[in-house]
Amino acid sequence: MICTGLIGSMSVFYVEFMYAFPESKTKVALVPSLANGIYDIGGVVAGLMIDTIGCRWSMFIGSFLTCIPILCSFMCNELVGFIILLGIISAFGSSIVMLIGMVRVGQTFGTEHQFGSIFITGAHPSGFIVFPQIMPYIINAYGWRGALFILSGITLQILPFGFLATSTIGERTAIAPAEGGEGGGGDEGGGEEGGENQRNKSCLKKCPLDVELLASPKFQFFAISSAINWGSTYMVHLLIVDFAVARDYDLVDGASLLTCVGVAALVSRVFTTFLRKIKCKNIIWYVFFSIAAGVVHACIPLAPSYNALVAQILGIGCLFGCRFSFFILTLLEMVPVRKYSQALGYCLSLWGIAVSSTGSIVGALNKVQNGYDFSYATGGLAGAVCLIPLAVYLYRSRGRFDLNFPSTSQSEIEIRS
């Protein structure tokens, strides 16, 4: 929640940076755009760290990479410094922490207890609920530099929370399949499972990247289409505050729109648990909510008033929440548990690449179009259209989208059955 709250706060600081630095919107937009992008792009490196040095050491590194750059930015006077410190380094540290939480819950509960995986995805909208609401008031009281100083102290709390969350986990446990045993696994597992863990560690030393996963055409098809959809519709998180300010609403009203996204996305987690009771595959739900999110995103410029805009943002927040929940559930079903950390990290990295380019592109279009209406409309339509090939494939294959990995262990096959 703290990490995603940090990323959500960048949209609030974006407005302040516009007044503080005589730079173009394209350049200033690099701060929130890169922050949101690197938050996802770091997934590949974070996945390798978790598989190599374990959750606890990864959490230690991630927490300091998140906190220290924010503290340094308190003394920074150049926009380039904020781009590097906030947009790249701090966001990468947050990426490590975020992926640790997702991977640990996914590997511990897997497909048997999917509510755990749905529940932790609620941390993302929770951060968007809390931080965009409190940051404008902190900025008004202490200035944006004082707000950065306070934010650095808040993010440092990741360290004790992270150590508490991993206190019962042995080192390098993230590479151990967690479907067996009572305590979530670790290197203590014996027999055939323990031998497989040792083989996994040996393979990680020789080739840290999972070549078998990256060579799967279906997985690449799924990952790339989801990245285009995510990047095209991410302007709601990146620039909705400035969109509101451009329509003559104040900073608090703009930040409240971000909170609305978080509230709706959090509530949608409960909605997702009810949808799972309907006999429909997770990937079909994912495609449905992804296309719907793109359509609603394209209609945002049509809002005639602030109340209508709030209603649209609540709707798209709910769609976003369902989309992300079913994305996680789909990925858990698609790949073996031992490949989950790298599969999730790879997908998030593609999302980050898409999001990183969104801010600058929209900033350039804003200069030409003198507004965000065109960008929101085309982004939403692109996000909806990119999922149509996957929807057609699912229709023709009657909802089947299986990834067959020859090295899938018999224990995982039995668990999935």
Side-chain angles (χ1 to χ4, degrees):
M1 186 189 76
I2 294 175
C3 288
T4 52
L6 163 65
I7 301 302
S9 299
M10 290 303 103
S11 297
V12 180
F13 283 106
Y14 166 72
V15 178
E16 295 299 317
F17 291 161
M18 285 293 302
Y19 293 111
F21 300 100
E23 304 284 354
S24 65
K25 282 192 173 183
T26 303
K27 190 172 182 179
V28 179
L30 283 174
V31 178
S33 181
L34 279 176
N36 283 269
I38 297 297
Y39 185 62
D40 293 326
I41 289 176
V44 167
V45 179
L48 293 176
M49 285 180 63
I50 294 170
D51 283 349
T52 305
I53 64 176
C55 287
R56 299 210 80 189
W57 278 107
S58 298
M59 181 68 73
F60 180 83
I61 295 172
S63 62
F64 277 102
L65 284 178
T66 304
C67 170
I68 300 303
I70 304 176
L71 182 61
C72 294
S73 67
F74 167 73
M75 301 172 286
C76 187
N77 294 313
E78 298 292 335
L79 182 62
V80 175
F82 290 102
I83 293 173
I84 296 173
L85 292 171
L86 300 178
I88 298 177
I89 302 176
S90 184
F92 175 64
S94 298
S95 177
I96 297 172
V97 176
M98 179 270 296
L99 196 69
I100 291 171
M102 300 294 294
V103 168
R104 281 308 307 163
V105 172
Q107 290 186 331
T108 300
F109 296 103
T111 56
E112 288 185 288
H113 306 287
Q114 297 182 354
F115 179 76
S117 299
I118 295 174
F119 183 81
I120 197 173
T121 62
H124 187 84
S126 297
F128 275 97
I129 292 172
V130 176
F131 283 80
Q133 277 297 300
I134 65 174
M135 279 302 146
Y137 295 102
I138 297 177
I139 291 172
N140 289 334
Y142 303 103
W144 59 267
R145 289 190 184 274
L148 285 171
F149 187 81
I150 294 173
L151 186 61
S152 67
I154 295 174
T155 54
L156 187 59
Q157 306 311 308
I158 294 170
L159 186 61
F161 280 123
F163 275 8
L164 180 64
T166 57
S167 60
T168 59
I169 301 172
E171 289 188 11
R172 308 174 83 151
T173 186
I175 58 177
E179 60 267 22
E182 297 178 358
D187 291 347
E188 293 82 3
E192 186 175 325
E193 184 178 303
E196 183 179 351
N197 295 344
Q198 294 300 324
R199 287 193 296 273
N200 285 338
K201 292 179 183 179
S202 177
C203 290
L204 282 170
K205 291 179 180 178
K206 296 177 182 178
C207 181
L209 285 174
D210 194 322
V211 179
E212 185 183 49
L213 181 69
L214 300 180
S216 171
K218 283 187 178 180
F219 176 72
Q220 294 292 343
F221 178 37
F222 174 78
I224 293 173
S225 61
S226 67
I228 297 174
N229 177 267
W230 186 266
S232 299
T233 58
Y234 210 76
M235 279 178 284
V236 171
H237 296 85
L238 286 177
L239 301 168
I240 194 65
V241 178
D242 193 48
F243 177 81
V245 172
R247 290 198 167 194
D248 297 326
Y249 305 122
D250 60 30
L251 183 61
V252 175
D253 289 337
S256 295
L257 294 176
L258 269 182
T259 300
C260 289
V261 177
V263 170
L266 186 61
V267 172
S268 69
R269 266 54 176 188
V270 180
F271 185 51
T272 302
T273 60
F274 290 102
L275 290 177
R276 285 181 52 247
K277 297 179 180 179
I278 301 175
K279 292 184 178 179
C280 183
K281 293 184 178 296
N282 289 324
I283 192 171
I284 295 178
W285 280 123
Y286 166 71
V287 171
F288 170 77
F289 285 113
S290 297
I291 294 176
V295 173
V296 177
H297 187 282
C299 297
I300 286 178
L302 301 179
S305 65
Y306 181 76
N307 290 335
L309 183 60
V310 169
Q312 283 185 314
I313 294 300
L314 288 172
I316 201 170
C318 185
L319 293 172
F320 279 1
C322 292
R323 175 184 66 176
F324 189 63
S325 295
F326 281 110
F327 168 80
I328 295 297
L329 297 179
T330 299
L331 197 61
L332 280 168
E333 290 183 346
M334 285 173 55
V335 301
V337 177
R338 69 183 184 280
K339 297 177 180 288
Y340 180 62
S341 60
Q342 291 206 31
L344 179 60
Y346 180 77
C347 289
L348 293 181
S349 294
L350 291 182
W351 292 9
I353 293 172
V355 171
S356 295
S357 59
T358 298
S360 297
I361 293 174
V362 174
L365 288 175
N366 178 73
K367 189 175 182 180
V368 176
Q369 299 291 327
N370 196 27
Y372 292 113
D373 292 1
F374 178 78
S375 299
Y376 273 97
T378 54
L381 292 176
V385 170
C386 72
L387 264 298
I388 293 178
L390 182 56
V392 172
Y393 180 90
L394 291 172
Y395 175 77
R396 298 185 63 180
S397 62
R398 298 183 179 181
R400 293 185 60 86
F401 197 80
D402 300 328
L403 301 180
N404 298 318
F405 293 102
S407 60
T408 301
S409 64
Q410 184 62 33
S411 60
E412 288 177 1
I413 295 175
E414 292 172 356
I415 286 293
R416 294 178 187 279
S417 298

